[in-house]
Amino acid sequence: MTDYPITGTHRTGTFDDAVLAAVAHIPRGRVMSYGDVAEFIGSSAPRAVGRVLAASGGEWDGKPVPWHRVLTASGRCAHHLEDEQLQRLRAEGVSVTDGRISMRRYRWDGR
DNA sequence: TTTCTGACACTAG
DNA sequence: CCTAGTGCCAGAA
C-alpha cells in the first residue's frame, strides 16, 4: 500500500488519514480545492478526496474536521452541501458572491 | 479480479 | 455559461 504524508506529524499513513489531516490544517477563512488537497498529500485523485470526506462524517480521530473549507477548483460547493457550507464559510469571513468563493483570494497553499 | 461509483479536474466545442 | 469526453484512484460489491 502506498504511504501518504500526514500533515503536522512526521509520519505517513493511509490515504484517508492523510486527507483528513490535511483538511484539518486549513486555517480559518481559507479554502482548498479537492485537487489541492490531493496534490498536497502527493496524490492525483481529487475524487478520492471527496470520497474520504463523505465517509468521514465530518470528523477525524473524534475531532471535527473543517470539511467546509474544501470546494471545487472553480470555487463552488458540492450540491448537497451548498447551504451548510456557504453558511459556515461566511461565518469565517469568507465572502460568497453568487454562490461562489474567489479561489484567487482565499486559496491556501499549505502554509 | 473485474466493475462500478464518486463532495473532482481539465480540455474541447 | 453549458455539455461531453477522458483521466484519475481508493473502496465497495
Side-chain angles (χ1 to χ4, degrees), chain A residues 11-75:
Chain A
R11 308 180 293 99
T12 57
T14 65
F15 180 81
D16 287 37
D17 282 334
V19 168
L20 295 173
V23 174
H25 282 267
I26 304 176
R28 249 186 82 87
R30 304 305 298 287
V31 302
M32 256 197 199
S33 73
Y34 295 90
D36 289 341
V37 175
E39 182 184 43
F40 194 66
I41 65 174
S43 167
S44 55
R47 307 191 66 159
V49 170
R51 182 191 62 70
V52 172
L53 290 178
S56 75
E59 49 176 63
W60 178 52
D61 199 42
K63 290 164 300 220
V65 174
W67 54 267
H68 56 281
R69 296 182 188 144
V70 183
L71 12 158
T72 68
S74 58

Side-chain angles (χ1 to χ4, degrees), chain A residues 2-3 7 11 15 30 38-39 46-47 52-53 55 58 60 63 66 68 74 79-81 85-86 94 104 106 109:
Chain A
T2 309
D3 273 346
T7 309
R11 308 180 293 99
F15 180 81
R30 304 305 298 287
E39 182 184 43
R47 307 191 66 159
V52 172
L53 290 178
W60 178 52
K63 290 164 300 220
H68 56 281
S74 58
H79 298 81
H80 55 292
L81 294 169
Q85 185 159 26
L86 291 180
V94 174
R104 193 158 52 173
Y106 302 106
D109 50 21

